[in-house]
């Protein structure tokens, strides 16, 4: 007896039914493919809870991870408006871990993959055992990125990268020669041969990599540098100086640059550098919903570059290498890395693992300004002997790192004042400032991105910054010797934070605190710029980068 195996579709005797079924299967498969590629647009929030448990040990370590992706803004507990839209990260440990994750989908405005919110909370179950920091070896805490493992570049390795960049990297060869290029090449030669100077103009030599070269470079900048500011572009995206809030650095520089009579020239043929007066913050917030993806915003910036390249000859001469942009918004790097790949970019988001180029780009300080009329308010702090608190931190739980910092150190040691977000009332804000002015070390933990306004806040309050942000290049890195007035702690070493700080000798701390006061003048905005202030230091960093990268025919 023969057995015939009949395919499923042939079991139907009517050909129309078979075709209908085949079409249905094809349609369902196509829809599934579309969902996988683009996500499902949703006008309502939906939540999915996921628990991940590692049973490798009997102890339980609960790690809090919070990371948001959205198209809105959130107000930090201490008054900082931090933009959302960062890459999700996950923190795990080798101990038994329970992570409760909420996945929240938002409207798919751009027809790309659905935006997700990853949010976890620390369990308040009294039966769970929380492992204190002293029970966790620093090798037991691992940080893994969602997309790929990112190697940590230490501060000493950054120093090596800086030296290598000056020795090897050059900008594109210009299409034709310029007298301005010759002047900058001459300036580079003078900087390199700078001899030791006895008159430091009130500067503390120890906070600089080479104070003689810095002074010579700064003096040449003041005497020679000329900048052309493009008039093209309309407000609010261009020529719109926003001088309050967390993105104030790009606004203050724009305001002071465009009104400057010393450096700015009307004739572009006399310019050594060309400034594109765009606010990435305004670009991000001013366009409609159809322009809310990095790609669409980058295309909008590219249109402007094409405009000035078509109207003037200067961009095309160097491929944009003598042009610069100042951007404090988180997206400054990703929006400019293609259209301005040869240009000097002053960026707050100076993450060397995400495309920040040491020696080419310059690190811009994040300065949270509450009052544009009083940018220097609350300046100063207590003497070292009056600072009884070892370390202080307070802030919203942005990103993956801060929840771990608070989980490990809140209410653990009397000299460690580590908190989450503080209330917004005037009394709490005053208490926040008093903590900074009364602490030896101020913890500057990364949020969604590596940068944070707490670095400048610490310096303003004369508190030694403790920077916990892997791959973060600190401001004015090309001239300042940050290890002389700041402490760098790798993210994996948070469990040992207190021991690291206690291991610093008293004499060393007193010297660092004095150098914080000495470097303070470089981190202050003035309504009318003064020598060595923040405006001049940002401009000097841009000048310094161009001088050391310039190439002539």
């Amino acid at each position: 007896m023969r057995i015939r195996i009949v395919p499923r579709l042939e079991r139907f005797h009517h050909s129309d039914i078979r075709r209908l079924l085949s079409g249905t299967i094809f349609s369902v498969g196509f829809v599934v493919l579309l969902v996988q590629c683009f996500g499902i647009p949703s006008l309502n929030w939906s939540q999915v809870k996921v628990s991940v448990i590692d049973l490798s040990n009997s102890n339980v370590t609960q790690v809090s991870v919070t990371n948001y992706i959205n198209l809105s803004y959130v107000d930090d507990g201490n008054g900082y408006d931090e933009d959302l839209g960062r890459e999700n990260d996950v923190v795990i440990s080798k101990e038994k871990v329970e992570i409760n994750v909420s996945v929240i989908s938002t409207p798919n405005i751009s027809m790309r993959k659905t935006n997700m919110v990853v949010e976890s909370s620390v369990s308040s179950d009294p039966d769970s055992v929380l492992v204190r920091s002293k029970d966790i070896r620093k090798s037991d805490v691992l940080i893994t990125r969602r997309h790929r493992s990112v190697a940590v570049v230490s501060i000493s390795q950054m120093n090596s990268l800086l030296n290598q960049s000056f020795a090897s990297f050059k900008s594109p060869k210009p299409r034709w020669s310029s007298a301005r290029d010759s002047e900058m090449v001459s300036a580079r030669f003078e900087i390199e041969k700078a001899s030791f100077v006895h008159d430091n103009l009130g500067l503390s030599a120890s906070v600089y990599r080479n104070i003689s070269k810095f002074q010579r470079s700064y003096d040449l900048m003041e005497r020679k540098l000329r900048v052309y500011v493009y008039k093209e572009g309309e407000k609010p995206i261009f020529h719109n100086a926003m001088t309050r809030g967390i993105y104030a650095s790009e606004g203050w520089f724009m305001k002071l640059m465009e009104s400057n009579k010393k450096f700015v020239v009307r004739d572009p043929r006399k310019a050594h550098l060309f400034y594109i007066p765009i606010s990435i913050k305004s670009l991000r917030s001013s366009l409609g919903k159809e322009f809310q993806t990095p790609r669409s915003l980058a295309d909008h910036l590219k249109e402007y570059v094409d405009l000035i390249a078509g109207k003037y000859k200067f961009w095309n001469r160097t491929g944009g290498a003598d042009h610069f942009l100042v951007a404090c918004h988180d997206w400054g790097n990703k929006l400019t890395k293609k259209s301005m790949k040869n240009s000097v970019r002053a960026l707050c988001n100076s993450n060397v693992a995400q495309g920040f180029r040491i020696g080419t780009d310059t690190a811009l300080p994040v300065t949270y300004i509450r009052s544009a009329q009083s940018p220097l308010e609350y300046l100063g702090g207590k003497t070292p002997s009056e600072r009884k608190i070892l370390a202080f931190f307070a802030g919203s739980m942005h990103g993956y790192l801060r929840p771990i910092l608070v989980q490990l150190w809140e209410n653990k040691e009397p000299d460690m004042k580590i908190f989450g977000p503080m209330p917004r009332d005037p009394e709490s804000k005053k208490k926040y400032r008093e903590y900074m002015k009364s602490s030896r070390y101020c913890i500057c933990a990364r949020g969604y991105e590596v940068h944070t306004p707490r670095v400048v806040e610490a310096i303003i309050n004369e508190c030694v910054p403790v920077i916990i942000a892997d791959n973060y290049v600190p401001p004015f890195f090309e001239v300042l010797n940050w290890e002389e007035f700041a402490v760098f702690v790798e993210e994996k070493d948070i469990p040992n934070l207190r021991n690291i700080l206690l291991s610093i000798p008293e004499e060393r701390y007193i010297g660092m605190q004095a150098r914080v006061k000495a470097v303070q003048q470089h981190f202050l905005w003035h309504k009318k710029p003064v020598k060595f202030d923040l405006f001049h230091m940002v401009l000097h960093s841009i000048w310094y980068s161009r001088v050391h990268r310039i190439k002539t025919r």
Side-chain angles (χ1 to χ4, degrees):
M1 182 175 60
R2 296 193 308 173
I3 299 176
R4 179 169 177 254
I5 300 176
V6 181
R8 290 184 178 181
L9 291 180
E10 292 183 11
R11 295 175 188 175
F12 294 92
H13 298 289
H14 200 289
S15 60
D16 291 339
I17 295 178
R18 292 200 300 271
R19 284 196 296 270
L20 177 62
L21 184 57
S22 299
T24 302
I25 294 172
F26 175 80
S27 299
V28 171
F30 183 70
V31 170
V32 171
L33 179 62
L34 288 178
V35 170
Q36 291 293 324
C37 294
F38 300 105
I40 303 175
S42 173
L43 297 178
N44 299 314
W45 296 103
S46 60
Q47 299 189 13
V48 179
K49 292 278 185 177
V50 180
S51 294
V52 180
I53 302 178
D54 182 354
L55 300 177
S56 58
N57 284 304
S58 59
N59 293 331
V60 176
T61 300
Q62 296 194 344
V63 183
S64 174
V65 184
T66 304
N67 208 347
Y68 298 89
I69 294 185
N70 207 331
L71 297 179
S72 58
Y73 294 84
V74 65
D75 194 17
D76 186 317
N78 297 304
Y80 308 133
D81 292 324
E82 298 203 15
D83 185 34
L84 301 174
R86 288 81 175 180
E87 182 176 287
N88 290 318
D89 297 291
V90 178
V91 181
I92 62 174
S93 82
K94 290 182 180 178
E95 311 291 337
K96 178 180 177 183
V97 179
E98 180 176 340
I99 305 177
N100 293 320
V101 181
S102 298
V103 180
I104 304 174
S105 63
T106 61
N108 187 4
I109 295 172
S110 63
M111 290 303 294
R112 294 180 180 275
K113 286 189 177 181
T114 306
N115 291 328
M116 307 297 287
V117 173
V118 178
E119 178 183 8
S120 71
S121 58
V122 179
S123 171
S124 58
D125 183 1
D127 295 328
S128 63
V129 180
L130 298 180
V131 179
R132 294 173 65 88
S133 60
K134 64 182 179 182
D135 299 323
I136 303 176
R137 299 187 305 274
K138 68 179 180 179
S139 61
D140 287 337
V141 178
L142 304 176
I143 298 177
T144 55
R145 265 63 177 178
R146 181 184 64 174
H147 297 299
R148 63 188 183 278
S149 178
V150 179
V152 177
V153 181
S154 67
I155 192 70
S156 60
Q157 290 172 321
M158 291 181 187
N159 292 331
S160 298
L161 289 173
L162 178 66
N163 294 331
Q164 292 172 13
S165 70
F166 288 156
S168 61
F169 184 83
K170 303 295 182 183
S171 62
K173 190 174 182 179
R175 295 174 62 183
W176 62 86
S177 60
S178 164
R180 307 290 86 77
D181 288 352
S182 299
E183 291 171 358
M184 298 195 86
V185 170
S186 176
R188 181 174 63 198
F189 179 75
E190 289 191 53
I191 293 169
E192 291 302 318
K193 71 173 186 179
S195 57
F196 179 77
V197 292
H198 296 281
D199 182 10
N200 290 338
L201 303 177
L203 303 177
S204 175
S206 59
V207 303
Y208 303 96
R209 295 180 179 276
N210 186 315
I211 191 170
S212 299
K213 289 185 177 181
F214 170 66
Q215 284 192 221
R216 179 64 62 85
S217 177
Y218 187 95
D219 177 64
L220 289 169
M221 178 196 74
E222 282 198 317
R223 289 193 288 114
K224 293 180 177 292
L225 177 60
R226 297 297 178 264
V227 177
Y228 181 76
V229 180
Y230 284 107
K231 304 298 188 295
E232 288 70 21
E234 297 181 358
K235 294 182 179 181
I237 298 176
F238 298 89
H239 312 287
N240 184 33
M242 303 178 68
T243 54
R244 292 181 64 253
I246 198 171
Y247 305 115
S249 288
E250 67 181 33
W252 272 88
F253 182 86
M254 181 185 297
K255 174 185 176 181
L256 298 176
M257 187 77 258
E258 291 197 305
S259 62
N260 191 277
K261 297 181 180 179
K262 179 181 180 65
F263 296 107
V264 175
V265 292
R266 294 183 177 181
D267 185 352
R269 293 171 298 180
K270 297 179 180 180
H272 302 89
L273 290 168
F274 298 81
Y275 174 42
I276 296 180
I278 186 173
S279 167
I280 297 297
K281 196 277 180 187
S282 297
L283 175 65
R284 175 71 173 81
S285 59
S286 298
L287 297 179
K289 291 184 178 180
E290 66 274 17
F291 293 100
Q292 287 297 334
T293 65
R295 181 175 180 178
S296 61
L297 296 175
D299 288 345
H300 194 81
L301 178 60
K302 177 63 166 55
E303 290 177 3
Y304 182 84
V305 170
D306 292 341
L307 171 66
I308 61 174
K311 187 174 181 179
Y312 302 91
K313 62 181 180 180
F314 307 102
W315 177 277
N316 296 324
R317 189 183 76 87
T318 63
D322 52 1
H323 288 59
F324 71 93
L325 168 143
V326 175
C328 200
H329 193 278
D330 294 359
W331 287 13
N333 180 13
K334 67 177 70 175
L335 298 188
T336 60
K337 63 182 179 181
K338 289 185 178 180
S339 60
M340 299 187 68
K341 63 181 181 180
N342 297 322
S343 305
V344 183
R345 304 177 304 165
L347 303 172
C348 285
N349 191 9
S350 53
N351 188 338
V352 73
Q354 292 184 2
F356 182 87
R357 305 163 299 179
I358 295 178
T360 301
D361 300 323
T362 67
L364 180 68
V366 187
T367 55
Y368 180 76
I369 304 297
R370 293 172 177 82
S371 171
Q373 300 302 316
S374 304
L376 302 179
E377 61 182 351
Y378 310 125
L379 189 66
K382 295 182 179 180
T383 63
S385 61
E386 296 175 305
R387 294 177 179 263
K388 305 302 182 182
I389 301 172
L390 177 64
F392 166 66
F393 172 85
S396 294
M397 296 295 95
H398 299 325
Y400 62 84
L401 187 69
R402 295 182 187 180
I404 297 175
L405 173 67
V406 173
Q407 180 64 38
L408 292 178
W409 289 110
E410 186 175 28
N411 299 323
K412 297 300 189 297
E413 299 291 347
D415 57 355
M416 298 281 285
K417 303 300 182 183
I418 308 297
F419 311 107
M422 296 178 69
R424 297 294 311 279
D425 58 276
E427 185 62 29
S428 297
K429 291 181 179 180
K430 181 179 179 181
K431 188 175 183 180
Y432 177 88
R433 294 192 297 269
E434 285 302 313
Y435 273 129
M436 276 209 155
K437 296 179 185 297
S438 304
S439 300
R440 288 186 160 219
Y441 300 97
C442 289
I443 308 301
C444 306
R446 63 167 292 161
Y448 293 112
E449 300 293 350
V450 292
H451 56 291
T452 167
R454 285 167 181 79
V455 175
V456 175
E457 273 192 332
I459 293 172
I460 287 177
N461 289 282
E462 298 170 4
C463 180
V464 175
V466 179
I467 299 174
I468 310 179
D470 289 352
N471 300 318
Y472 171 60
V473 182
F476 314 135
F477 185 69
E478 65 282 345
V479 294
L480 294 182
N481 188 1
W482 275 84
E483 292 172 283
E484 290 299 312
F485 58 90
V487 179
F488 292 84
V489 176
E490 290 191 14
E491 294 171 8
K492 66 181 179 62
D493 292 330
I494 288 181
N496 292 327
L497 179 60
R498 186 169 183 269
N499 290 336
I500 291 172
L501 299 180
L502 288 175
S503 70
I504 300 174
E506 179 70 11
E507 183 179 355
R508 170 70 174 166
Y509 162 72
I510 293 175
M512 293 179 76
Q513 201 270 344
R515 288 187 281 274
V516 167
K517 295 175 66 175
V519 81
Q520 191 181 70
Q521 63 178 318
H522 296 324
F523 294 88
L524 305 177
W525 293 113
H526 297 85
K527 292 182 180 179
K528 185 177 181 180
V530 300
K531 194 178 184 71
F532 297 128
D533 72 349
L534 217 165
F535 169 76
H536 284 97
M537 288 298 290
V538 173
L539 190 60
H540 176 267
S541 288
I542 296 165
W543 150 269
Y544 199 80
S545 173
R546 177 59 179 158
V547 160
H548 284 83
R549 294 171 55 247
I550 194 168
K551 195 171 187 178
T552 58
R553 289 192 63 83

